[in-house]
Amino acid sequence: MSKQFKADMSLLLMVVGWGASYYMLDEILNEATPMAINGVRFLGAFLIALPFTFKRLKNISKAIWKYSILVGIALFTCYAGVTYGIKYTSLSNSAFLCALPVIFVPILQFLFLKKSLEKRVLIAVVLCFIGIALMTLQEGFSVNPIHLKGDMLCIIAAISYAVDLLITEKGVNEEKVDALQMGVLQLGVTGALMILGTLSLENTSLPQSPRLWLFLFFLTVVCTGIPFIIQPIAQQYTTAAHVGIIFTLEPVFASIVAFFIGGEILSPKAYFGAILMLLALLLTEINPASLMRKK
């Protein structure tokens, strides 16, 4: 079994957990404030990981601190956006919109790293915007005021996570950066920022019922601690194309959970928009011309 296959399977398990997290977050938000939830998630994940990784957290270089802080800021923006977004939009909308980093990554690479955009990426961007319109606009393509705020926050979250992926990719490719150290430290940085955020910006509240604390524990361990330690390690052994394709499955799992557990049903227009977005996401990672040449 190759290292790349193991890395891909690890990322796939991450995506399954993230798909379930939207429903759980939506339930927890009935009793708790967004940044308080994320503060518990990230700081809790950091404290749980600490005893298992303490021996590796020695001789931390300035480069690791730099990348951990930068990734922590990106994750703070991402998770603050997505958690508030889920509060103001539907589960399915939030899941699909938060899967857009695979679109935003090549755009950001073009704008800031001067990497050229391929035609298929431009087509994917167009498909993606059409899909977003179909999912988020009402009949007659007027803006849905109920979901608009949440949809915009989820798009900001997607851009922030695209920044996170680019910083992580740059960091793990530097000799002085240990991927495990970076994975653990970014949890602590994000958690600290979330605690500061909830104390200064929110009327902080936490879940009251045992059921929701169980959900929060699942989010802390399965959807936060394990994934964000695994991700920088996995990105050393797999390709960006594989990561992108795997991450496009997140909204699929989220919609399945929203349908079977949350009872959420989209309109036919919204389902068509979701299909266009999936096609756009896949088109950014699969080159049809290359596939035809292989045949």
Side-chain angles (χ1 to χ4, degrees), residues 80-128:
V82 71
T83 312
Y84 273 103
I86 288 172
K87 190 174 181 179
Y88 297 113
T89 190
S90 68
L91 295 180
S92 299
N93 273 28
S94 60
F96 276 92
L97 293 172
C98 290
L100 292 181
V102 73
I103 292 290
F104 290 126
V105 164
I107 294 175
L108 293 176
Q109 286 178 325
F110 171 73
L111 292 175
F112 299 104
L113 302 178
K114 306 305 179 185
K115 289 189 177 181
S116 60
L117 280 174
E118 299 179 54
K119 287 183 179 179
R120 62 191 175 94
V121 175
L122 291 174
I123 294 171
V125 170
V126 173
L127 287 175
C128 194

mmCIF file of all heavy atoms in Angstrom, residues 80-128:
data_model
loop_
_atom_site.group_PDB
_atom_site.id
_atom_site.type_symbol
_atom_site.label_atom_id
_atom_site.label_comp_id
_atom_site.label_asym_id
_atom_site.label_seq_id
_atom_site.Cartn_x
_atom_site.Cartn_y
_atom_site.Cartn_z
ATOM 1 N N ALA A 80 -14.865 30.906 11.821
ATOM 2 C CA ALA A 80 -15.812 31.925 12.278
ATOM 3 C C ALA A 80 -16.851 32.162 11.187
ATOM 4 O O ALA A 80 -18.065 32.228 11.458
ATOM 5 C CB ALA A 80 -15.083 33.216 12.615
ATOM 6 N N GLY A 81 -16.384 32.229 9.928
ATOM 7 C CA GLY A 81 -17.294 32.442 8.803
ATOM 8 C C GLY A 81 -18.262 31.296 8.597
ATOM 9 O O GLY A 81 -19.467 31.504 8.452
ATOM 10 N N VAL A 82 -17.748 30.068 8.619
ATOM 11 C CA VAL A 82 -18.617 28.928 8.337
ATOM 12 C C VAL A 82 -19.601 28.687 9.477
ATOM 13 O O VAL A 82 -20.759 28.317 9.242
ATOM 14 C CB VAL A 82 -17.787 27.656 8.044
ATOM 15 C CG1 VAL A 82 -17.113 27.114 9.293
ATOM 16 C CG2 VAL A 82 -18.681 26.561 7.444
ATOM 17 N N THR A 83 -19.185 28.908 10.724
ATOM 18 C CA THR A 83 -20.093 28.649 11.844
ATOM 19 C C THR A 83 -21.208 29.684 11.897
ATOM 20 O O THR A 83 -22.375 29.340 12.110
ATOM 21 C CB THR A 83 -19.320 28.633 13.185
ATOM 22 O OG1 THR A 83 -18.163 27.814 13.049
ATOM 23 C CG2 THR A 83 -20.184 28.063 14.297
ATOM 24 N N TYR A 84 -20.862 30.953 11.680
ATOM 25 C CA TYR A 84 -21.918 31.960 11.580
ATOM 26 C C TYR A 84 -22.752 31.730 10.319
ATOM 27 O O TYR A 84 -23.960 31.965 10.308
ATOM 28 C CB TYR A 84 -21.314 33.365 11.565
ATOM 29 C CG TYR A 84 -21.093 33.948 12.944
ATOM 30 C CD1 TYR A 84 -19.813 33.989 13.498
ATOM 31 C CD2 TYR A 84 -22.150 34.449 13.687
ATOM 32 C CE1 TYR A 84 -19.599 34.521 14.772
ATOM 33 C CE2 TYR A 84 -21.947 34.984 14.958
ATOM 34 C CZ TYR A 84 -20.666 35.006 15.490
ATOM 35 O OH TYR A 84 -20.474 35.530 16.751
ATOM 36 N N GLY A 85 -22.099 31.270 9.250
ATOM 37 C CA GLY A 85 -22.810 31.012 8.003
ATOM 38 C C GLY A 85 -23.875 29.954 8.151
ATOM 39 O O GLY A 85 -25.006 30.103 7.661
ATOM 40 N N ILE A 86 -23.540 28.859 8.840
ATOM 41 C CA ILE A 86 -24.504 27.777 9.061
ATOM 42 C C ILE A 86 -25.703 28.285 9.859
ATOM 43 O O ILE A 86 -26.832 27.821 9.675
ATOM 44 C CB ILE A 86 -23.812 26.606 9.796
ATOM 45 C CG1 ILE A 86 -22.850 25.895 8.846
ATOM 46 C CG2 ILE A 86 -24.832 25.607 10.338
ATOM 47 C CD1 ILE A 86 -21.988 24.856 9.513
ATOM 48 N N LYS A 87 -25.452 29.265 10.709
ATOM 49 C CA LYS A 87 -26.526 29.828 11.538
ATOM 50 C C LYS A 87 -27.546 30.572 10.688
ATOM 51 O O LYS A 87 -28.721 30.657 11.044
ATOM 52 C CB LYS A 87 -25.903 30.772 12.577
ATOM 53 C CG LYS A 87 -26.853 31.240 13.653
ATOM 54 C CD LYS A 87 -26.111 32.048 14.704
ATOM 55 C CE LYS A 87 -27.052 32.508 15.820
ATOM 56 N NZ LYS A 87 -26.341 33.273 16.866
ATOM 57 N N TYR A 88 -27.107 31.117 9.536
ATOM 58 C CA TYR A 88 -27.973 31.981 8.740
ATOM 59 C C TYR A 88 -28.348 31.419 7.367
ATOM 60 O O TYR A 88 -29.029 32.103 6.611
ATOM 61 C CB TYR A 88 -27.310 33.349 8.561
ATOM 62 C CG TYR A 88 -27.097 34.093 9.860
ATOM 63 C CD1 TYR A 88 -25.817 34.331 10.350
ATOM 64 C CD2 TYR A 88 -28.186 34.541 10.603
ATOM 65 C CE1 TYR A 88 -25.620 35.011 11.546
ATOM 66 C CE2 TYR A 88 -28.003 35.219 11.797
ATOM 67 C CZ TYR A 88 -26.715 35.454 12.268
ATOM 68 O OH TYR A 88 -26.512 36.112 13.458
ATOM 69 N N THR A 89 -27.912 30.207 7.039
ATOM 70 C CA THR A 89 -28.300 29.619 5.757
ATOM 71 C C THR A 89 -28.603 28.143 5.964
ATOM 72 O O THR A 89 -28.505 27.622 7.074
ATOM 73 C CB THR A 89 -27.200 29.817 4.688
ATOM 74 O OG1 THR A 89 -27.721 29.446 3.411
ATOM 75 C CG2 THR A 89 -25.964 28.986 4.984
ATOM 76 N N SER A 90 -28.967 27.459 4.881
ATOM 77 C CA SER A 90 -29.320 26.039 4.984
ATOM 78 C C SER A 90 -28.064 25.185 5.076
ATOM 79 O O SER A 90 -26.968 25.605 4.690
ATOM 80 C CB SER A 90 -30.148 25.617 3.769
ATOM 81 O OG SER A 90 -29.343 25.644 2.597
ATOM 82 N N LEU A 91 -28.221 23.949 5.565
ATOM 83 C CA LEU A 91 -27.090 23.037 5.679
ATOM 84 C C LEU A 91 -26.487 22.738 4.319
ATOM 85 O O LEU A 91 -25.270 22.705 4.151
ATOM 86 C CB LEU A 91 -27.526 21.728 6.352
ATOM 87 C CG LEU A 91 -27.979 21.803 7.811
ATOM 88 C CD1 LEU A 91 -28.362 20.424 8.307
ATOM 89 C CD2 LEU A 91 -26.881 22.384 8.683
ATOM 90 N N SER A 92 -27.342 22.479 3.332
ATOM 91 C CA SER A 92 -26.848 22.125 2.001
ATOM 92 C C SER A 92 -26.116 23.288 1.352
ATOM 93 O O SER A 92 -25.061 23.122 0.747
ATOM 94 C CB SER A 92 -28.010 21.660 1.110
ATOM 95 O OG SER A 92 -28.622 20.514 1.648
ATOM 96 N N ASN A 93 -26.678 24.505 1.466
ATOM 97 C CA ASN A 93 -26.007 25.679 0.923
ATOM 98 C C ASN A 93 -24.628 25.851 1.540
ATOM 99 O O ASN A 93 -23.628 26.078 0.847
ATOM 100 C CB ASN A 93 -26.844 26.938 1.195
ATOM 101 C CG ASN A 93 -27.871 27.196 0.117
ATOM 102 O OD1 ASN A 93 -28.332 26.271 -0.535
ATOM 103 N ND2 ASN A 93 -28.250 28.443 -0.045
ATOM 104 N N SER A 94 -24.551 25.778 2.869
ATOM 105 C CA SER A 94 -23.277 25.990 3.548
ATOM 106 C C SER A 94 -22.258 24.943 3.140
ATOM 107 O O SER A 94 -21.083 25.250 2.933
ATOM 108 C CB SER A 94 -23.472 25.976 5.068
ATOM 109 O OG SER A 94 -23.992 24.741 5.509
ATOM 110 N N ALA A 95 -22.696 23.693 3.000
ATOM 111 C CA ALA A 95 -21.773 22.621 2.635
ATOM 112 C C ALA A 95 -21.188 22.829 1.246
ATOM 113 O O ALA A 95 -19.977 22.689 1.042
ATOM 114 C CB ALA A 95 -22.490 21.270 2.702
ATOM 115 N N PHE A 96 -22.039 23.181 0.278
ATOM 116 C CA PHE A 96 -21.541 23.366 -1.084
ATOM 117 C C PHE A 96 -20.692 24.624 -1.207
ATOM 118 O O PHE A 96 -19.647 24.616 -1.859
ATOM 119 C CB PHE A 96 -22.709 23.408 -2.075
ATOM 120 C CG PHE A 96 -23.158 22.052 -2.507
ATOM 121 C CD1 PHE A 96 -24.161 21.392 -1.825
ATOM 122 C CD2 PHE A 96 -22.565 21.406 -3.573
ATOM 123 C CE1 PHE A 96 -24.582 20.131 -2.205
ATOM 124 C CE2 PHE A 96 -22.961 20.144 -3.956
ATOM 125 C CZ PHE A 96 -23.976 19.501 -3.276
ATOM 126 N N LEU A 97 -21.096 25.704 -0.578
ATOM 127 C CA LEU A 97 -20.322 26.938 -0.665
ATOM 128 C C LEU A 97 -18.966 26.802 0.015
ATOM 129 O O LEU A 97 -17.971 27.349 -0.455
ATOM 130 C CB LEU A 97 -21.109 28.102 -0.053
ATOM 131 C CG LEU A 97 -22.382 28.506 -0.809
ATOM 132 C CD1 LEU A 97 -23.170 29.530 -0.012
ATOM 133 C CD2 LEU A 97 -22.059 29.039 -2.194
ATOM 134 N N CYS A 98 -18.922 26.060 1.110
ATOM 135 C CA CYS A 98 -17.653 25.880 1.825
ATOM 136 C C CYS A 98 -16.730 24.887 1.113
ATOM 137 O O CYS A 98 -15.582 24.704 1.529
ATOM 138 C CB CYS A 98 -17.915 25.427 3.259
ATOM 139 S SG CYS A 98 -18.647 26.725 4.284
ATOM 140 N N ALA A 99 -17.210 24.256 0.047
ATOM 141 C CA ALA A 99 -16.362 23.367 -0.744
ATOM 142 C C ALA A 99 -15.668 24.104 -1.879
ATOM 143 O O ALA A 99 -14.969 23.482 -2.693
ATOM 144 C CB ALA A 99 -17.200 22.216 -1.316
ATOM 145 N N LEU A 100 -15.819 25.419 -1.927
ATOM 146 C CA LEU A 100 -15.272 26.204 -3.029
ATOM 147 C C LEU A 100 -13.776 26.489 -2.982
ATOM 148 O O LEU A 100 -13.258 27.067 -3.937
ATOM 149 C CB LEU A 100 -16.023 27.539 -3.141
ATOM 150 C CG LEU A 100 -17.475 27.446 -3.592
ATOM 151 C CD1 LEU A 100 -18.074 28.839 -3.677
ATOM 152 C CD2 LEU A 100 -17.593 26.742 -4.931
ATOM 153 N N PRO A 101 -13.043 26.141 -1.921
ATOM 154 C CA PRO A 101 -11.594 26.408 -1.968
ATOM 155 C C PRO A 101 -10.911 25.843 -3.192
ATOM 156 O O PRO A 101 -9.955 26.435 -3.689
ATOM 157 C CB PRO A 101 -11.082 25.716 -0.696
ATOM 158 C CG PRO A 101 -12.207 25.830 0.256
ATOM 159 C CD PRO A 101 -13.444 25.666 -0.586
ATOM 160 N N VAL A 102 -11.397 24.720 -3.707
ATOM 161 C CA VAL A 102 -10.755 24.132 -4.877
ATOM 162 C C VAL A 102 -10.892 25.033 -6.099
ATOM 163 O O VAL A 102 -10.098 24.948 -7.035
ATOM 164 C CB VAL A 102 -11.337 22.725 -5.155
ATOM 165 C CG1 VAL A 102 -12.729 22.797 -5.731
ATOM 166 C CG2 VAL A 102 -10.415 21.914 -6.049
ATOM 167 N N ILE A 103 -11.874 25.923 -6.097
ATOM 168 C CA ILE A 103 -12.013 26.927 -7.144
ATOM 169 C C ILE A 103 -11.146 28.143 -6.832
ATOM 170 O O ILE A 103 -10.468 28.698 -7.694
ATOM 171 C CB ILE A 103 -13.488 27.370 -7.278
ATOM 172 C CG1 ILE A 103 -14.340 26.223 -7.829
ATOM 173 C CG2 ILE A 103 -13.606 28.602 -8.164
ATOM 174 C CD1 ILE A 103 -14.079 25.892 -9.270
ATOM 175 N N PHE A 104 -11.159 28.558 -5.570
ATOM 176 C CA PHE A 104 -10.446 29.782 -5.188
ATOM 177 C C PHE A 104 -8.930 29.604 -5.176
ATOM 178 O O PHE A 104 -8.195 30.579 -5.367
ATOM 179 C CB PHE A 104 -10.920 30.273 -3.820
ATOM 180 C CG PHE A 104 -12.317 30.821 -3.829
ATOM 181 C CD1 PHE A 104 -13.284 30.342 -2.952
ATOM 182 C CD2 PHE A 104 -12.681 31.817 -4.720
ATOM 183 C CE1 PHE A 104 -14.569 30.845 -2.964
ATOM 184 C CE2 PHE A 104 -13.971 32.329 -4.746
ATOM 185 C CZ PHE A 104 -14.918 31.837 -3.862
ATOM 186 N N VAL A 105 -8.450 28.395 -4.945
ATOM 187 C CA VAL A 105 -6.998 28.169 -4.913
ATOM 188 C C VAL A 105 -6.328 28.592 -6.222
ATOM 189 O O VAL A 105 -5.384 29.379 -6.215
ATOM 190 C CB VAL A 105 -6.655 26.707 -4.558
ATOM 191 C CG1 VAL A 105 -5.205 26.390 -4.895
ATOM 192 C CG2 VAL A 105 -6.899 26.455 -3.077
ATOM 193 N N PRO A 106 -6.800 28.095 -7.396
ATOM 194 C CA PRO A 106 -6.137 28.540 -8.633
ATOM 195 C C PRO A 106 -6.310 30.029 -8.911
ATOM 196 O O PRO A 106 -5.425 30.659 -9.500
ATOM 197 C CB PRO A 106 -6.818 27.695 -9.726
ATOM 198 C CG PRO A 106 -8.074 27.205 -9.123
ATOM 199 C CD PRO A 106 -7.809 27.054 -7.662
ATOM 200 N N ILE A 107 -7.435 30.612 -8.469
ATOM 201 C CA ILE A 107 -7.629 32.047 -8.664
ATOM 202 C C ILE A 107 -6.613 32.836 -7.848
ATOM 203 O O ILE A 107 -5.986 33.784 -8.335
ATOM 204 C CB ILE A 107 -9.069 32.452 -8.289
ATOM 205 C CG1 ILE A 107 -10.065 31.821 -9.263
ATOM 206 C CG2 ILE A 107 -9.215 33.971 -8.291
ATOM 207 C CD1 ILE A 107 -11.517 32.062 -8.903
ATOM 208 N N LEU A 108 -6.425 32.448 -6.579
ATOM 209 C CA LEU A 108 -5.453 33.118 -5.724
ATOM 210 C C LEU A 108 -4.026 32.907 -6.220
ATOM 211 O O LEU A 108 -3.184 33.812 -6.138
ATOM 212 C CB LEU A 108 -5.589 32.620 -4.282
ATOM 213 C CG LEU A 108 -6.889 33.003 -3.557
ATOM 214 C CD1 LEU A 108 -6.946 32.360 -2.179
ATOM 215 C CD2 LEU A 108 -7.020 34.514 -3.437
ATOM 216 N N GLN A 109 -3.765 31.708 -6.748
ATOM 217 C CA GLN A 109 -2.435 31.445 -7.318
ATOM 218 C C GLN A 109 -2.175 32.363 -8.511
ATOM 219 O O GLN A 109 -1.054 32.845 -8.698
ATOM 220 C CB GLN A 109 -2.326 29.978 -7.742
ATOM 221 C CG GLN A 109 -2.182 29.021 -6.581
ATOM 222 C CD GLN A 109 -2.133 27.576 -7.036
ATOM 223 O OE1 GLN A 109 -2.788 27.189 -8.008
ATOM 224 N NE2 GLN A 109 -1.365 26.758 -6.345
ATOM 225 N N PHE A 110 -3.209 32.614 -9.301
ATOM 226 C CA PHE A 110 -3.076 33.501 -10.462
ATOM 227 C C PHE A 110 -2.857 34.953 -10.018
ATOM 228 O O PHE A 110 -1.989 35.655 -10.543
ATOM 229 C CB PHE A 110 -4.330 33.416 -11.338
ATOM 230 C CG PHE A 110 -4.382 34.434 -12.444
ATOM 231 C CD1 PHE A 110 -3.567 34.314 -13.562
ATOM 232 C CD2 PHE A 110 -5.240 35.517 -12.360
ATOM 233 C CE1 PHE A 110 -3.607 35.258 -14.575
ATOM 234 C CE2 PHE A 110 -5.293 36.464 -13.365
ATOM 235 C CZ PHE A 110 -4.469 36.336 -14.480
ATOM 236 N N LEU A 111 -3.617 35.396 -9.018
ATOM 237 C CA LEU A 111 -3.562 36.785 -8.588
ATOM 238 C C LEU A 111 -2.279 37.121 -7.830
ATOM 239 O O LEU A 111 -1.697 38.192 -8.027
ATOM 240 C CB LEU A 111 -4.775 37.109 -7.702
ATOM 241 C CG LEU A 111 -6.141 37.115 -8.395
ATOM 242 C CD1 LEU A 111 -7.244 37.324 -7.382
ATOM 243 C CD2 LEU A 111 -6.191 38.195 -9.468
ATOM 244 N N PHE A 112 -1.833 36.199 -6.968
ATOM 245 C CA PHE A 112 -0.716 36.520 -6.083
ATOM 246 C C PHE A 112 0.584 35.788 -6.407
ATOM 247 O O PHE A 112 1.663 36.260 -6.060
ATOM 248 C CB PHE A 112 -1.112 36.235 -4.629
ATOM 249 C CG PHE A 112 -2.275 37.063 -4.156
ATOM 250 C CD1 PHE A 112 -3.540 36.509 -4.035
ATOM 251 C CD2 PHE A 112 -2.106 38.409 -3.871
ATOM 252 C CE1 PHE A 112 -4.614 37.271 -3.607
ATOM 253 C CE2 PHE A 112 -3.188 39.185 -3.442
ATOM 254 C CZ PHE A 112 -4.437 38.617 -3.317
ATOM 255 N N LEU A 113 0.478 34.628 -7.061
ATOM 256 C CA LEU A 113 1.681 33.873 -7.401
ATOM 257 C C LEU A 113 1.972 33.891 -8.891
ATOM 258 O O LEU A 113 2.911 33.246 -9.359
ATOM 259 C CB LEU A 113 1.540 32.416 -6.916
ATOM 260 C CG LEU A 113 1.288 32.248 -5.406
ATOM 261 C CD1 LEU A 113 1.125 30.768 -5.057
ATOM 262 C CD2 LEU A 113 2.422 32.874 -4.595
ATOM 263 N N LYS A 114 1.132 34.612 -9.641
ATOM 264 C CA LYS A 114 1.315 34.790 -11.092
ATOM 265 C C LYS A 114 1.298 33.467 -11.860
ATOM 266 O O LYS A 114 1.948 33.327 -12.886
ATOM 267 C CB LYS A 114 2.627 35.545 -11.378
ATOM 268 C CG LYS A 114 2.765 36.871 -10.640
ATOM 269 C CD LYS A 114 1.595 37.797 -10.914
ATOM 270 C CE LYS A 114 1.748 39.102 -10.138
ATOM 271 N NZ LYS A 114 0.553 39.975 -10.297
ATOM 272 N N LYS A 115 0.557 32.494 -11.352
ATOM 273 C CA LYS A 115 0.389 31.236 -12.082
ATOM 274 C C LYS A 115 -0.782 31.392 -13.038
ATOM 275 O O LYS A 115 -1.860 31.845 -12.658
ATOM 276 C CB LYS A 115 0.129 30.073 -11.118
ATOM 277 C CG LYS A 115 1.341 29.673 -10.299
ATOM 278 C CD LYS A 115 1.070 28.392 -9.527
ATOM 279 C CE LYS A 115 2.312 27.949 -8.763
ATOM 280 N NZ LYS A 115 2.088 26.682 -8.025
ATOM 281 N N SER A 116 -0.582 31.015 -14.292
ATOM 282 C CA SER A 116 -1.615 31.223 -15.310
ATOM 283 C C SER A 116 -2.830 30.327 -15.067
ATOM 284 O O SER A 116 -2.710 29.225 -14.538
ATOM 285 C CB SER A 116 -1.052 30.940 -16.703
ATOM 286 O OG SER A 116 -0.593 29.605 -16.784
ATOM 287 N N LEU A 117 -4.009 30.843 -15.458
ATOM 288 C CA LEU A 117 -5.256 30.081 -15.325
ATOM 289 C C LEU A 117 -5.531 29.324 -16.619
ATOM 290 O O LEU A 117 -5.508 29.906 -17.701
ATOM 291 C CB LEU A 117 -6.421 31.022 -15.031
ATOM 292 C CG LEU A 117 -6.597 31.508 -13.597
ATOM 293 C CD1 LEU A 117 -7.715 32.533 -13.539
ATOM 294 C CD2 LEU A 117 -6.916 30.353 -12.676
ATOM 295 N N GLU A 118 -5.796 28.036 -16.517
ATOM 296 C CA GLU A 118 -6.136 27.242 -17.699
ATOM 297 C C GLU A 118 -7.575 27.536 -18.107
ATOM 298 O O GLU A 118 -8.394 27.984 -17.295
ATOM 299 C CB GLU A 118 -5.981 25.753 -17.385
ATOM 300 C CG GLU A 118 -4.578 25.342 -17.005
ATOM 301 C CD GLU A 118 -4.502 23.868 -16.674
ATOM 302 O OE1 GLU A 118 -4.930 23.055 -17.513
ATOM 303 O OE2 GLU A 118 -4.039 23.541 -15.577
ATOM 304 N N LYS A 119 -7.891 27.227 -19.361
ATOM 305 C CA LYS A 119 -9.245 27.465 -19.868
ATOM 306 C C LYS A 119 -10.282 26.682 -19.080
ATOM 307 O O LYS A 119 -11.370 27.178 -18.787
ATOM 308 C CB LYS A 119 -9.320 27.077 -21.353
ATOM 309 C CG LYS A 119 -8.613 28.047 -22.276
ATOM 310 C CD LYS A 119 -8.797 27.651 -23.726
ATOM 311 C CE LYS A 119 -8.096 28.639 -24.652
ATOM 312 N NZ LYS A 119 -8.241 28.251 -26.085
ATOM 313 N N ARG A 120 -9.924 25.435 -18.712
ATOM 314 C CA ARG A 120 -10.886 24.608 -17.985
ATOM 315 C C ARG A 120 -11.187 25.191 -16.608
ATOM 316 O O ARG A 120 -12.291 25.051 -16.087
ATOM 317 C CB ARG A 120 -10.384 23.171 -17.863
ATOM 318 C CG ARG A 120 -9.093 22.999 -17.085
ATOM 319 C CD ARG A 120 -8.531 21.582 -17.252
ATOM 320 N NE ARG A 120 -7.244 21.447 -16.605
ATOM 321 C CZ ARG A 120 -7.086 21.002 -15.361
ATOM 322 N NH1 ARG A 120 -8.147 20.649 -14.657
ATOM 323 N NH2 ARG A 120 -5.883 20.910 -14.831
ATOM 324 N N VAL A 121 -10.208 25.894 -16.011
ATOM 325 C CA VAL A 121 -10.435 26.529 -14.711
ATOM 326 C C VAL A 121 -11.384 27.714 -14.877
ATOM 327 O O VAL A 121 -12.282 27.924 -14.050
ATOM 328 C CB VAL A 121 -9.107 26.971 -14.074
ATOM 329 C CG1 VAL A 121 -9.354 27.739 -12.789
ATOM 330 C CG2 VAL A 121 -8.217 25.764 -13.804
ATOM 331 N N LEU A 122 -11.195 28.490 -15.943
ATOM 332 C CA LEU A 122 -12.102 29.609 -16.206
ATOM 333 C C LEU A 122 -13.528 29.112 -16.431
ATOM 334 O O LEU A 122 -14.489 29.702 -15.936
ATOM 335 C CB LEU A 122 -11.616 30.395 -17.436
ATOM 336 C CG LEU A 122 -10.309 31.181 -17.261
ATOM 337 C CD1 LEU A 122 -9.874 31.777 -18.592
ATOM 338 C CD2 LEU A 122 -10.485 32.282 -16.226
ATOM 339 N N ILE A 123 -13.654 28.001 -17.171
ATOM 340 C CA ILE A 123 -14.983 27.402 -17.390
ATOM 341 C C ILE A 123 -15.572 26.953 -16.059
ATOM 342 O O ILE A 123 -16.762 27.148 -15.786
ATOM 343 C CB ILE A 123 -14.881 26.210 -18.365
ATOM 344 C CG1 ILE A 123 -14.465 26.702 -19.751
ATOM 345 C CG2 ILE A 123 -16.215 25.456 -18.442
ATOM 346 C CD1 ILE A 123 -14.122 25.583 -20.730
ATOM 347 N N ALA A 124 -14.725 26.357 -15.216
ATOM 348 C CA ALA A 124 -15.182 25.879 -13.916
ATOM 349 C C ALA A 124 -15.679 27.028 -13.049
ATOM 350 O O ALA A 124 -16.679 26.900 -12.339
ATOM 351 C CB ALA A 124 -14.057 25.132 -13.204
ATOM 352 N N VAL A 125 -14.987 28.173 -13.108
ATOM 353 C CA VAL A 125 -15.397 29.342 -12.322
ATOM 354 C C VAL A 125 -16.779 29.818 -12.767
ATOM 355 O O VAL A 125 -17.644 30.135 -11.940
ATOM 356 C CB VAL A 125 -14.360 30.477 -12.454
ATOM 357 C CG1 VAL A 125 -14.887 31.767 -11.841
ATOM 358 C CG2 VAL A 125 -13.053 30.077 -11.776
ATOM 359 N N VAL A 126 -17.005 29.853 -14.081
ATOM 360 C CA VAL A 126 -18.309 30.263 -14.614
ATOM 361 C C VAL A 126 -19.397 29.299 -14.146
ATOM 362 O O VAL A 126 -20.465 29.717 -13.675
ATOM 363 C CB VAL A 126 -18.273 30.336 -16.152
ATOM 364 C CG1 VAL A 126 -19.676 30.589 -16.704
ATOM 365 C CG2 VAL A 126 -17.321 31.430 -16.618
ATOM 366 N N LEU A 127 -19.136 27.987 -14.283
ATOM 367 C CA LEU A 127 -20.094 26.983 -13.824
ATOM 368 C C LEU A 127 -20.391 27.128 -12.340
ATOM 369 O O LEU A 127 -21.529 26.989 -11.890
ATOM 370 C CB LEU A 127 -19.556 25.568 -14.102
ATOM 371 C CG LEU A 127 -19.553 25.086 -15.553
ATOM 372 C CD1 LEU A 127 -18.881 23.720 -15.648
ATOM 373 C CD2 LEU A 127 -20.971 25.005 -16.097
ATOM 374 N N CYS A 128 -19.341 27.432 -11.602
ATOM 375 C CA CYS A 128 -19.463 27.560 -10.160
ATOM 376 C C CYS A 128 -20.367 28.734 -9.786
ATOM 377 O O CYS A 128 -21.244 28.604 -8.924
ATOM 378 C CB CYS A 128 -18.078 27.739 -9.550
ATOM 379 S SG CYS A 128 -18.058 27.514 -7.788
#
